[in-house]
Amino acid sequence: MKVLVIGNGGREHALAWKLKESKSVDKIYMARGNGGTEDFCENLDIDPTDIEKLLAFAVENKIDLTVVGPEDPLCAGIVDAFNEKGLRVFGPNKACARFEKSKEFTKIFLEKYSIPTAKYKSFESYDHAEKGLEEFSYPLVVKADGLCFGKGVIICRDRDEAVDALEKIFKDKIFGDQGNTVVIEEFLTGEEASVLCLVSNNKLFPLERAKDHKQIFDGDKGPNTGGVGTYSPVSASPKLEKNLEKIYKQIEDGLNKEGLHYSGILFVGFMIEDDMPKVLEFNVRFGDPETEVLMPRLDVDLYELLNKTIDGKLERDDIRWKDETCLTVIMCSGGYPGSYEKGKLIEGLDKVDKDIIVFHNGTKKTDDLYTNGGRVLSITALGKNLEEARKKAYDNVERISFEGAYYRKDIGSK
Ligand code: AMP
Ligand code: GLY
């Protein structure tokens, strides 16, 4: 079978790596892939957002399954376009991708189906939003409604900061049209947790949990990133499990009542305090770097799993996990998530232990391997417990180098 994976990052590298293991998969194309996927896939010179070209390629090459990594093509309707041509594609359709495309859409859904979430109001003008601030206490959260590459959320400690955030979004248009609507939200405290659910015919199948590390510096300090390290599994108390189950049922109920047909991944971001989870956000795709630790632990054929999901035939027993812990440390370019330089020579990958998996987030191969993004490499280790996985990953991180390389030293050490 021929598979096309859309995307350039560590998430897509991990998906392709796992698909490659499948006895059914003969060939994997990546659009565009990176320096790491080049070793076992054919990287295509097609942008992940160029739906027309992707579709033409898939038709011409009789692709059996397309797996969409990033949110942009999903929100733009790539699944609908592929389905119209009778092509199999993994991911939600355009109507369902609104859960990531619009924060307001998600908040309305959560409220309508009584799913616990932060209190909120949405606004379409600076004046209304500025007045609306009165209804909230501080800190509060200002969010641009649309897709902002993970930068659309601003936590404001006082009124000055909130007014500043509203000015930047409504007047300076820092997020362009993605900021035409703004959601103001109560600030939640607690522990963040993300749960990726396979959704088959509107039924949610939660995958094992992964703990992301979003801030750039040790001790969860500094600005938010896409995620710079993660591990899986993460344990939960029976009470928390029960509360999460209730939320999954409410989501399923809501999808059915709204007449939506969800298929693919629903990534639910939670804030959890005293075992009470509240939904922070929905994403309609696999998480990055969550996927980098889930794929090595997954103990079933990913190609079959994705196909069963698409066919609406998935069952709980279809999803099995290795009884090992997986941890990944992301080596970043110096300066990330602010500005950083690309094109630094990467050395030392030949010194890495055989049982370490290095997923590439942002690399480019010419004669040698060079950095090509803010997140560069995910150094991933399986171990019999968290300590072992952590030690193996960090032992190997130290063997890899490039100018300005930075990584957190405390992934999994809490
Ligand atoms: P989101 O894109 O909505 O997940 O927001 C990105 C990050 O902002 C989350 O991972 C949280 O760390 C933080 N955040 C978002 N909403 C809230 C909230 N209501 N209270 C506290 N932190 C939040
Ligand atoms: N790691 C968070 C995300 O993929 O959105």
Side-chain angles (χ1 to χ4, degrees):
M1 296 290 174
K2 291 192 271 186
V3 180
L4 168 63
V5 178
I6 297 175
N8 308 331
R11 164 182 56 202
E12 289 81 14
H13 186 172
L15 290 169
W17 172 86
K18 188 68 191 171
L19 283 164
K20 184 77 192 161
E21 235 180 60
S22 166
K23 56 183 182 327
S24 314
V25 174
D26 306 305
K27 168 116 191 169
I28 303 177
Y29 296 95
M30 302 281 308
R32 305 182 183 267
N34 58 41
T37 60
E38 203 176 297
D39 294 340
F40 63 102
C41 305
E42 184 174 334
N43 284 354
L44 304 172
D45 186 19
I46 307 179
D47 195 83
T49 57
D50 193 339
I51 296 179
E52 224 171 279
K53 272 199 188 149
L54 292 166
L55 188 58
F57 178 85
V59 169
E60 192 175 323
N61 292 279
K62 301 194 171 60
I63 297 297
D64 297 290
L65 172 68
T66 298
V67 183
V68 189
E71 60 273 23
D72 322 42
L74 292 168
C75 293
I78 191 168
V79 169
D80 310 60
F82 272 56
N83 283 337
E84 269 169 36
K85 294 269 185 224
L87 290 165
R88 287 178 83 72
V89 53
F90 180 84
N93 58 25
K94 192 174 181 181
C96 293
R98 282 178 295 172
F99 283 119
E100 183 151 2
K101 193 175 165 61
S102 166
K103 297 196 168 72
E104 185 189 33
F105 179 82
T106 295
K107 293 300 278 192
I108 292 170
F109 177 88
L110 293 171
E111 197 160 72
K112 185 165 173 190
Y113 294 99
S114 308
I115 297 166
T117 188
K119 189 181 112 198
Y120 87 103
K121 267 206 149 155
S122 56
F123 302 93
E124 275 159 27
S125 76
Y126 173 83
D127 289 340
H128 285 133
E130 197 245 7
K131 278 203 191 69
L133 289 173
E134 284 164 22
E135 297 174 43
F136 292 85
S137 53
Y138 293 90
L140 57 73
V141 189
V142 171
K143 299 184 175 184
D145 180 60
L147 292 179
C148 306
F149 303 104
K151 294 195 165 74
V153 174
I154 307 173
I155 293 166
C156 309
R157 282 168 297 184
D158 53 35
R159 192 180 146 79
D160 285 350
E161 285 187 4
V163 167
D164 186 53
L166 293 176
E167 278 180 358
K168 283 194 175 124
I169 299 174
F170 278 120
K171 295 185 175 167
D172 303 343
K173 289 266 169 209
I174 56 168
F175 302 120
D177 286 347
Q178 304 300 321
N180 286 352
T181 299
V182 161
V183 169
I184 300 182
E185 203 173 274
E186 157 199 22
F187 179 80
L188 298 177
T189 52
E191 272 281 305
E192 276 191 71
S194 31
V195 185
L196 279 71
C197 301
L198 278 168
V199 189
S200 184
N201 194 17
N202 282 356
K203 223 174 142 12
L204 269 60
F205 296 86
L207 305 183
E208 291 218 338
R209 270 199 298 289
K211 167 79 184 147
D212 197 4
H213 293 67
K214 282 200 167 152
Q215 289 86 0
I216 187 72
F217 300 131
D218 287 7
D220 293 338
K221 302 243 164 45
N224 260 347
T225 69
V228 287
T230 181
Y231 61 84
S232 171
V234 184
S235 62
S237 72
K239 186 177 165 200
L240 175 58
E241 255 347 318
K242 206 169 138 233
N243 289 332
L244 290 170
E245 284 297 331
K246 185 173 168 205
I247 291 179
Y248 304 142
K249 287 268 162 340
Q250 287 173 300
I251 296 172
E252 290 173 354
D253 188 42
L255 293 173
N256 288 325
K257 290 204 171 121
E258 292 299 304
L260 292 166
H261 301 285
Y262 205 110
S263 174
I265 282 279
L266 182 69
F267 169 133
V268 190
F270 288 106
M271 187 70 92
I272 302 168
E273 194 165 42
D274 301 328
D275 289 333
M276 298 302 289
K278 288 187 178 171
V279 173
L280 275 183
E281 62 163 345
F282 285 156
N283 297 311
V284 299
R285 46 160 179 88
F286 284 97
D288 192 346
E290 287 86 347
T291 308
E292 286 92 308
V293 292
L294 290 175
M295 290 306 119
R297 291 195 60 232
L298 189 64
D299 207 12
V300 292
D301 183 316
L302 181 62
Y303 182 80
E304 283 174 16
L305 193 66
L306 300 183
N307 273 313
K308 276 190 186 160
T309 306
I310 294 172
D311 291 336
K313 291 187 179 149
L314 192 65
E315 291 178 26
R316 249 178 214 260
D317 290 348
D318 293 325
I319 310 171
R320 290 188 299 280
W321 301 96
K322 289 180 194 154
D323 191 21
E324 284 177 293
T325 296
C326 190
L327 180 141
T328 195
V329 177
I330 301 204
M331 300 184 75
C332 306
S333 297
Y336 173 77
S339 61
Y340 55 84
E341 288 176 17
K342 295 181 187 176
K344 307 291 181 194
L345 179 69
I346 300 171
E347 290 178 296
L349 283 178
D350 53 329
K351 299 193 183 74
V352 165
D353 289 330
K354 290 232 160 14
D355 59 345
I356 293 292
I357 314 158
V358 179
F359 293 123
H360 294 219
N361 302 83
T363 67
K364 197 170 187 165
K365 205 174 247 176
T366 47
D367 293 340
D368 286 309
L369 187 69
Y370 294 91
T371 67
N372 193 36
R375 296 188 289 186
V376 178
L377 295 169
S378 294
I379 317 307
T380 309
L382 283 162
K384 59 180 184 295
N385 53 38
L386 184 60
E387 288 67 38
E388 189 181 280
R390 182 176 139 70
K391 185 171 183 318
K392 280 166 73 175
Y394 275 107
D395 276 353
N396 283 275
V397 165
E398 283 161 22
R399 302 176 202 176
I400 303 166
S401 62
F402 53 89
E403 192 191 316
Y406 169 84
Y407 55 91
R408 268 180 72 156
K409 314 278 186 302
D410 66 342
I411 305 302
S413 66
K414 227 194 235 170

